[in-house]
C-alpha cells in the first residue's frame, strides 16, 4: 500500500468512518451522483468495532439521507466539502476527501485553487497545513510540483483586475463600499480589490461561479461570518447559483459543520432570498 493510501485509510478510520459493508446491506443507491461508493470507494469504517451505534447512525444519515438529497454532482459536493474541511480545520477529513476528489476527476489544479481561494477568507495561518498535506498527497500520487501557474495579474494590474472581478460578482455595491468607507478604513477596500480579488479570486483554474460556491461553503463553515455570508449569497445568485443550489450545498455540509452553522446559513439564505 502506498504512503498516500495509508494516510487516507488512517484519516478515514479517525473521522468519516463510512462503513461499506453496513451501507451496502442497508442502503442501495444508483450509480453516479447519489452513490456513496463513488465518493468513498473501498473504505471501511474504522470505529464500527468499537462504536458500532455511532458508525451506523452516521453512515445511515450520510448515505441514506444527505447524499441523495438535492441535485449536486459528486464533483461539486466534494469541492464544497473540501472547502468546508479547510475552514473547519479538519486535516484528517481533508486528506480523505482530497483522495476521493482526485479519484472523482477533480484535477490537481482545481484542488490547489480551492486552497488558494481559502487564503483570503480563512487566512494563511489556517491554510498552510492543508497546502503541505496536499503537496504530500500529490507527491505520493506522482503529481509533479509546482503545478502550472494560474495567476492572471501582475503587481501593476492586480488592483484594476481585482476591482473588475468584484464588480462582475457584486455590481454597484462595490462603488458604494468605496464611497461610504471612512477615510481611515479605505485601505481595507483597496486590499479587498487588489489582494482578495486580484491575487486570488481572479486566478484561473476555476470559474467565478465555482469560486463563489466555495466561498459560501467556507464562510458558513467558519461561523460568525453571517454578514459576509449574506453578501456572498447575493454574489452566488449573481453568478447563477440559485437558492435551491445553495440549500443543497448547506445540506451536504450538515454532517461536517453541524446543525447550528447550517441553520445560521439557512437563515441567511432566507433573509437574502425570501421564500
Amino acid at each position: 500500500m502506498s504512503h498516500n493510501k495509508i494516510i487516507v485509510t488512517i484519516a478515514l478510520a479517525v473521522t468519516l468512518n463510512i462503513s461499506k459493508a453496513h451501507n451496502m446491506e442497508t442502503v442501495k443507491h444508483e450509480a453516479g451522483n447519489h452513490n456513496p461508493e463513488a465518493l468513498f470507494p473501498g473504505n471501511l469504517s474504522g470505529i464500527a468495532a468499537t462504536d458500532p451505534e455511532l458508525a451506523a447512525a452516521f453512515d445511515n444519515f450520510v448515505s441514506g439521507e444527505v447524499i441523495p438529497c438535492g441535485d449536486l454532482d459528486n464533483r461539486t459536493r466534494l469541492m464544497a466539502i473540501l472547502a468546508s474541511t479547510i475552514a473547519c480545520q479538519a486535516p484528517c477529513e481533508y486528506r480523505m476527501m482530497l483522495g476521493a476528489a482526485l479519484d472523482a476527476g477533480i484535477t490537481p489544479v482545481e484542488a490547489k485553487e480551492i486552497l488558494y481561494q481559502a487564503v483570503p477568507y480563512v487566512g494563511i495561518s489556517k491554510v498552510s497545513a492543508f497546502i503541505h498535506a496536499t503537496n504530500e498527497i500529490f507527491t505520493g500520487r506522482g503529481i509533479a510540483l509546482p503545478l502550472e501557474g494560474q495567476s492572471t495579474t501582475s503587481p501593476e494590474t492586480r488592483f484594476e483586475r481585482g476591482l473588475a472581478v468584484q464588480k462582475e460578482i457584486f455590481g454597484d455595491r462595490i462603488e458604494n463600499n468605496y464611497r461610504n468607507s471612512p477615510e481611515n478604513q479605505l485601505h481595507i477596500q483597496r486590499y479587498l480589490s487588489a489582494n482578495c480579488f486580484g491575487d486570488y479570486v481572479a486566478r484561473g483554474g476555476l470559474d467565478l461561479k465555482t469560486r463563489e460556491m466555495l466561498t459560501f461553503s467556507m464562510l458558513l463553515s467558519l461561523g460568525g461570518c453571517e454578514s459576509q455570508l449574506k453578501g456572498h449569497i447575493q454574489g452566488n445568485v449573481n453568478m447563477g447559483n440559485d437558492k435551491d443550489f445553495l440549500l443543497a450545498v448547506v445540506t451536504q455540509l450538515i454532517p461536517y459543520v453541524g446543525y447550528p452553522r447550517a441553520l445560521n446559513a439557512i437563515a441567511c439564505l432566507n433573509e437574502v432570498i425570501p421564500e
Side-chain angles (χ1 to χ4, degrees):
M1 182 180 290
S2 70
H3 181 58
N4 179 62
K5 288 183 179 179
I6 292 172
I7 291 172
V8 172
T9 302
I10 293 172
L12 177 64
V14 173
T15 56
L16 187 60
N17 307 307
I18 296 295
S19 177
K20 178 184 176 183
H22 179 78
N23 288 340
M24 293 304 102
E25 290 176 0
T26 59
V27 181
K28 301 293 184 181
H29 297 301
E30 64 184 13
N33 291 346
H34 295 164
N35 181 11
E37 183 68 4
L39 287 178
F40 316 111
N43 290 324
L44 296 175
S45 174
I47 64 167
T50 57
D51 299 90
E53 292 177 338
L54 173 60
F58 188 86
D59 294 351
N60 285 340
F61 178 56
V62 172
S63 297
E65 298 178 61
V66 174
I67 290 177
C69 185
D71 295 323
L72 294 189
D73 57 54
N74 285 342
R75 280 173 47 85
T76 303
R77 179 184 293 110
L78 282 163
M79 283 186 174
I81 295 173
L82 283 173
S84 178
T85 57
I86 296 167
C88 287
Q89 292 293 277
C92 291
E93 194 83 359
Y94 173 84
R95 285 178 176 271
M96 189 276 292
M97 288 296 179
L98 178 58
L102 294 171
D103 290 341
I106 292 174
T107 68
V109 166
E110 290 171 328
K112 266 295 179 78
E113 287 305 313
I114 295 172
L115 282 165
Y116 288 14
Q117 180 79 6
V119 172
Y121 295 103
V122 180
I124 191 65
S125 62
K126 293 183 177 180
V127 177
S128 59
F130 293 85
I131 294 174
H132 290 299
T134 300
N135 291 342
E136 184 178 321
I137 290 170
F138 281 6
T139 300
R141 287 179 173 240
I143 299 169
L145 296 171
L147 300 177
E148 182 181 357
Q150 298 297 318
S151 176
T152 64
T153 66
S154 67
E156 294 75 29
T157 65
R158 59 198 282 269
F159 175 81
E160 291 299 331
R161 172 62 178 148
L163 183 61
V165 170
Q166 277 185 295
K167 291 180 178 179
E168 183 176 352
I169 297 172
F170 299 107
D172 293 340
R173 175 182 173 182
I174 302 305
E175 292 291 348
N176 292 334
N177 288 347
Y178 271 92
R179 185 164 45 248
N180 297 328
S181 177
E183 182 63 29
N184 67 348
Q185 298 168 33
L186 195 55
H187 66 288
I188 302 299
Q189 297 301 323
R190 297 192 184 103
Y191 288 173
L192 283 167
S193 296
N195 179 241
C196 181
F197 286 86
D199 291 339
Y200 296 103
V201 181
R203 290 174 60 83
L206 294 171
D207 59 28
L208 292 181
K209 184 176 181 180
T210 300
R211 288 184 182 276
E212 274 301 289
M213 180 276 292
L214 294 171
T215 301
F216 174 77
S217 301
M218 293 172 196
L219 292 177
L220 79 86
S221 301
L222 283 170
C225 302
E226 281 70 31
S227 176
Q228 291 77 21
L229 183 61
K230 285 184 279 189
H232 281 278
I233 288 171
Q234 187 60 57
N236 268 277
V237 171
N238 294 346
M239 291 294 98
N241 294 327
D242 63 15
K243 185 176 183 178
D244 287 342
F245 174 84
L246 295 175
L247 184 58
V249 171
V250 177
T251 301
Q252 295 304 312
L253 294 182
I254 287 173
Y256 310 97
V257 304
Y259 284 100
R261 291 181 181 181
L263 291 172
N264 284 348
I266 292 171
C268 290
L269 273 173
N270 287 334
E271 182 177 336
V272 177
I273 317 169
E275 289 294 319

